Structures are given as structure tokens and as C-alpha cells.
Amino acid sequence: MNIGSHTFEEFKEIARRFHGFPAPGLLLGGYMVENAKARMPEGVLYEAMVETGKCLPDAVQLLTVLSVGNGWMRVVNLGRYALSLYDKYTGAGWRVYLDSDKLDHWPHMQSWLIKSTPKKDQDTEALYREIEAAGDTVCSAYPIQIHERFLGKSSMGEIGWCPVCREYYPTRDGAVCRGCQGDAPYASIPGFPGLGQHRAQPHAVSLEEAVGKTAVHDMTRIVPGETKGPAIQAGQVITGGDLCRLQQMGRERVYVREELGGVDGFVHENDAVLAFAEAMAGEGVTYTAPPKEGKIDFRASQSGLLVVDIERLRGFNCLPDVMCATRQSDIYVEKDKAFAGTRAIPLYLSEDRFEAALAVLRDGPLLRVEPLRPMDIGILVTGSEVFKGLIEDKFAPLIRGKVEHFGCRVCAEEVVPDDRETIAAAVARLREAGAQLIITTAGLSVDPDDVTRAGLLDAGMTDMVYGAPLLPGAMTLIGRVGSSRILGVPACALFYKTTSLDLLLPRLLANRPITRAALAEMADGGFCLSCTVCTFPKCPFGK
């Protein structure tokens, strides 16, 4: 069977010259490409979507004008031997794939595909004969519609200059190029500029020469287990009485302002970190100047939810010679408590790296503390055993204590049986009472009597996310009924002191969106150790 205008043997030779040898996947791919081409309306400008990086893209390039280089072929590596051709403007097209149900009569092709026979033991000529005989009969096809995000030619975007390697790269990759972020495959690169040219070479003087002169930076003294702090501060005049203390600190030479030199084109650590702090601090964030030991700490000027621009924080820390460390984003922080710190690492930071760091920060603050908005809370306790008075309700007092800690007011409480119609009616009453956040308790498991979720849906709940990668609290529920937010708390909260409730309540009060993706990010750190003595939030849970 021919492959387009080529005989099988002709295409084998084309494949050998292009690919190095006539790979079976490339030959089979030729039939798949021609199958897809035949299904496209004449005159339509089409592009290709290939679902594997193995051989199939080569077939597309050999039999069409499409390639990765010209942007008309995309490789989305799904690990499946399939391709789609589609109208480049509308996205309508055909997907052709290797159909496993059609390989039963082609044993050599089947063993090659699933690798049941080692490559050295394969009968290559028999495999070639099967591919030629089968042609595209081992393929199936169906019409598809490509998602609009894949339509149109992608652009590299803005091009910038990497401050580390000094090569050009797409700035969408971050503050430095991907190679300098650690993705480069090279163990070493002879002649790489490195960091040496970015280091200042200030002149140091002996302690005796330093007397009467001005210290350039804080000099830290550490007494293990007792103190850590600057024994000599930047701008302080060194006296004869300081020499013994400096010697005890292991200092033999120091930098002094009067005889520094070698720092043209560099920015002092204090000046750099002050500029960083000013750019990083947003709403609800404060810091104290001057820097201490070259570092500035950030504190909350109000209690609230810490929000960190994680992508730009990562970009900033990808730059050499600067750093910023924070507590976990989206956690509750108290007023006046420190939650982050930044500094320039060398005493003098090169101006180009200083400017590169500021460029990362120019799009707005890195850190902010969003105030929690005290809400009117409606508590909905579900459970026939509680409703009938068979057991004492301990859920409402627990919820009341947690929400009142954040300044909220419980405006109404409902205790209802495990009946979806009754639950829906209770939700309506809580909303009428002014509940901005309705916290439901229990009834969220897989038991047949647990109908809380169904009752909430009957009440009109939308935007529901059920289940969270948090333990305890996997059966948490998030949603909305009209303007009222919904938080479903599983029964485990009666046993464990700290659960998903403690992580999610501050986010809801700060009006942060809680999506499936946001919950997925909480999985890393979402396992509570259930310590005998709970120290939350001073523990790893939720971090």
C-alpha cells in the first residue's frame, strides 16, 4: 500500500535518509498522516497536533509543510500514538490513532508496539511487511474540535537579557533564563562568565589601621545559645576599645569607609535591601529601617491572611546574590508578627544584578496581608441522632469558638435530621437570618444516611468542590448558595483539634477563591501529624 504518492519502498528510503533508519513508527506514521490529510476539506489551511514525540512528528514533517519550527505543528506529549489535523482558524478537524482493537491479526506490529519482544529478537523484515500490508487499516479516526487556547501561532513574547549568563531569552521563563534556573544539561561550560566578574573587590585594613575609621557593615557576634547580634554596626567609628572584641570574633581585617575602594558599579547591601523592601511590601505589611546585619524583616501591620506572589518570589530567588524567604502563602498571620525577610547576600551587589532584582519587583508588591472580614455565620448541624436528642450536640460550640476567634458573629443555628428537604429549608432560613457564611457539620461521608451534600444542592448550591487533599478533613465541601458561602465540615472535626476547617476558614473570611486547583496545592503539607500536644499553627500542617 502506497504512502501518499510514494511506494512503501520509496518512503522507507526517504525515512532512512531523514531519520537515520526506516523506523517502524515513522512508516506507520506515514499512513496515519495520509489518512488524516484525506479527511480534511480541500483548500483548508490546517495545522497538526501530535500526541507523542516519538517518530510521528517526523512523519508529519515529511508529508506536509508543518513543523515545530514554523509553529504549524504542536507536540503535546500525551504518550499516545495519535495525531490530529485541524483547520487553523476554526479548530475543526480529525484525530487519527493507532487502534489496539485492530492489531490482533498483526502479531509483529502488536509485539513491537507493546515491546513484548526485545528489539534484538524482533523480525524487522516481517514487521515491515505487516506495516505495508496493513496500511492505515489499523487506524481509526473521529472528528475533533481543538480547544481555542491552542489556536493561533504562539509567540515567544518579550525577549530579555539574563543577568547571569548574559544571553537573550524569553522573559516569560522568569527573572533568569531556564538554563540559569538549573535546567541546563551541562555539567560545566568552559568560558562561562560565572560570578567572579560580579564581585566587588573592596580593600580591607588591619584592626590597628581601622581605629578611628568608620565600619562599612554590621559585624555579627555570636555567643552559642545566648546571643546573636551586631557587635559593631555600619557607620560606627571603630575605637581602640573595640579591638579585643573584634579579635575574639575572629576578625583580623575589616572594611572601613575611608579606605574602601573597588566598589564602583556596586550597591551596598543596606541600600539594596532597603530598595527591595520598599518594592516588596504591600497592603498590611511593614518593615523597620535601617537594616540589621544586612537584612530586613517584614511584619504584619494588621492581622489577616498572608498572600505571597509565589511566581515572582521564585523569580526573585532565581537571581544570584539576593534572597527573600517567607512563611507559607494563604495562612493567617497576627499583627506585629514577622513573616518574611530579605537581603542582598554579598556586602556589595553589582548594579546589573541590583537592577535585575528590582525589575522582578516592578509589577507590584510581593507581599500583602489581607484583612479578614468578620462575617455573620450560620451554623447548620445535621444528624438525626442529634435532632432527636439521642446524643448531645458538640459541633455548634466548637464552630462558634473558632469563628468568634476571628471576630465573627453567629447569627443563627439550625439542628436538622438527615433529610435533604429539611436541610434545604434550613439553609433558606439561615440565609434569611443574614448568614454570609453557612458552616454545615457532618453528613458528608459515604454512608447512605448522609444526605447533607444532596440537601445543599437542593438549596441551590453552586461552585461546589467536594473533597480536599487534607487530613484530617478529606471530605470537606466548599460551595455557594446565592451570596452566601458554604463550608461543609466533616465529622472528624469532633475528634481532631485541628482539621481542614482551621486552614480554610481564614481564606473564606479574606474572601479568597477556593478552587479545586487551590486545594490541590494544599496537598503538600496537608497531612496533620495529630500530635499529642497540638501546637497549630506553629507546626507543619498546611505549610
Side-chain angles (χ1 to χ4, degrees):
M1 185 182 294
N2 285 358
I3 299 176
S5 61
H6 307 289
T7 67
F8 185 76
E9 291 300 322
E10 287 172 345
F11 193 72
K12 273 179 67 178
E13 178 58 22
I14 293 171
R16 185 191 65 77
R17 292 198 303 265
F18 181 82
H19 194 80
F21 80 104
L26 177 49
L27 302 178
L28 181 59
Y31 288 115
M32 296 173 68
V33 171
E34 290 298 332
N35 185 304
K37 286 170 60 178
R39 297 175 184 276
M40 296 301 295
E42 188 172 350
V44 169
L45 294 176
Y46 56 80
E47 295 185 355
M49 185 76 68
V50 186
E51 298 178 27
T52 176
K54 301 289 188 181
C55 297
L56 201 49
D58 289 351
V60 174
Q61 292 186 98
L62 285 173
L63 295 170
T64 71
V65 296
L66 315 178
S67 71
V68 173
N70 63 24
W72 296 338
M73 175 173 66
R74 296 174 187 262
V75 177
V76 179
N77 193 1
L78 304 179
R80 303 185 296 201
Y81 216 72
L83 68 92
S84 300
L85 297 184
Y86 57 92
D87 186 313
K88 67 180 298 180
Y89 299 110
T90 68
W94 285 85
R95 180 178 187 265
V96 178
Y97 65 99
L98 186 59
D99 193 335
S100 60
D101 292 336
K102 296 182 177 182
L103 289 175
D104 290 342
H105 301 297
W106 309 100
H108 292 285
M109 289 178 63
Q110 191 172 56
S111 66
W112 161 78
L113 181 66
I114 65 176
K115 302 185 184 301
S116 60
T117 302
K119 191 171 184 178
K120 62 182 178 61
D121 296 332
Q122 289 177 358
D123 187 338
T124 305
E125 292 305 319
L127 176 58
Y128 287 153
R129 288 194 296 271
E130 283 193 0
I131 292 174
E132 182 180 12
D136 65 358
T137 64
V138 293
C139 301
S140 291
Y142 55 80
I144 50 89
Q145 176 67 44
I146 296 292
H147 195 284
E148 62 181 12
R149 73 174 182 272
F150 291 108
L151 299 180
K153 197 168 183 178
S154 60
S155 169
M156 291 181 68
E158 182 182 352
I159 302 299
W161 180 79
C162 175
V164 179
C165 66
R166 308 181 214 174
E167 296 184 32
Y168 292 106
Y169 76 106
T171 56
R172 68 185 180 192
D173 289 343
V176 299
C177 73
R178 290 179 60 188
C180 293
Q181 290 179 35
D183 292 343
Y186 314 109
S188 63
I189 308 176
F192 181 74
L195 304 179
Q197 298 180 28
H198 290 272
R199 291 285 186 243
Q201 301 295 328
H203 174 67
V205 300
S206 67
L207 293 184
E208 291 75 14
E209 295 176 286
V211 174
K213 296 184 172 64
T214 309
V216 172
H217 64 99
D218 290 351
M219 298 181 218
T220 303
R221 181 171 183 259
I222 299 175
V223 179
E226 295 184 18
T227 62
K228 175 185 177 295
I232 303 293
Q233 295 182 322
Q236 179 179 334
V237 175
I238 298 172
T239 67
D242 296 320
L243 299 187
C244 182
R245 190 167 18 152
L246 287 168
Q247 288 173 338
Q248 291 174 343
M249 293 163 51
R251 310 278 179 160
E252 297 294 337
R253 298 186 305 148
V254 295
Y255 297 125
V256 293
R257 186 178 301 162
E258 290 81 357
E259 299 185 37
L260 196 59
V263 294
D264 291 341
F266 292 83
V267 181
H268 188 272
E269 60 176 359
N270 286 354
D271 297 326
V273 77
L274 277 169
F276 298 158
E278 183 178 356
M280 291 176 179
E283 175 194 3
V285 179
T286 187
Y287 59 90
T288 302
K292 184 178 180 182
E293 300 173 275
K295 178 171 68 76
I296 282 180
D297 287 340
F298 297 96
R299 297 179 181 274
S301 62
Q302 60 188 7
S303 295
L305 196 75
L306 172 63
V307 180
V308 181
D309 189 327
I310 296 173
E311 285 303 313
R312 289 200 300 129
L313 175 67
R314 180 180 180 275
F316 182 83
N317 283 311
C318 277
L319 290 168
D321 294 342
V322 299
M323 63 76 64
C324 178
T326 75
R327 293 187 67 190
Q328 183 81 12
S329 184
D330 292 313
I331 64 168
Y332 177 73
V333 292
E334 296 179 353
K335 182 180 179 181
D336 297 329
K337 293 293 182 67
F339 61 80
T342 185
R343 71 170 301 156
I345 293 172
L347 176 58
Y348 283 90
L349 181 66
S350 64
E351 287 182 348
D352 58 344
R353 292 189 174 175
F354 173 68
E355 292 298 333
L358 287 181
V360 176
L361 304 174
R362 284 192 184 119
D363 291 335
L366 213 61
L367 312 166
R368 67 181 191 275
V369 175
E370 296 186 353
L372 302 191
R373 180 168 60 98
M375 292 184 179
D376 286 341
I377 307 294
I379 299 176
L380 175 59
V381 180
T382 65
S384 297
E385 70 280 14
V386 180
F387 179 76
K388 295 175 182 178
L390 300 178
I391 65 170
E392 179 186 356
D393 170 38
K394 295 186 178 180
F395 241 133
L398 183 148
I399 300 299
R400 181 184 292 273
K402 289 183 181 286
V403 300
E404 288 179 349
H405 172 73
F406 293 114
C408 297
R409 180 181 73 93
V410 176
C411 63
E413 294 181 18
E414 293 276 348
V415 179
V416 296
D418 292 312
D419 177 78
R420 57 191 297 175
E421 184 176 341
T422 307
I423 291 171
V427 170
R429 290 193 297 272
L430 290 172
R431 295 191 66 222
E432 289 175 4
Q436 299 164 296
L437 170 63
I438 298 173
I439 300 179
T440 72
T441 63
L444 297 172
S445 77
V446 297
D447 294 337
D449 292 329
D450 286 345
V451 295
T452 300
R453 182 159 46 115
L456 291 170
L457 289 170
D458 290 346
M461 182 172 63
T462 60
D463 302 332
M464 182 183 75
V465 180
Y466 174 58
L470 299 167
L471 291 172
M475 292 182 177
T476 294
L477 180 145
I478 302 289
R480 182 186 297 276
V481 176
S483 60
S484 301
R485 302 289 295 269
I486 303 291
L487 174 58
V489 180
C492 63
L494 283 174
F495 180 79
Y496 296 100
K497 185 177 185 298
T498 303
T499 67
S500 56
L501 168 63
D502 300 275
L503 299 181
L504 297 174
L505 182 58
R507 297 188 185 207
L508 289 168
L509 297 180
N511 202 31
R512 295 283 288 172
I514 301 178
T515 61
R516 173 65 63 191
L519 288 173
E521 290 177 358
M522 298 177 72
D524 182 13
F527 184 85
C528 177
L529 297 177
S530 302
C531 303
T532 304
V533 178
C534 179
T535 60
F536 181 84
K538 297 179 180 179
C539 74
F541 186 48
K543 301 177 178 62

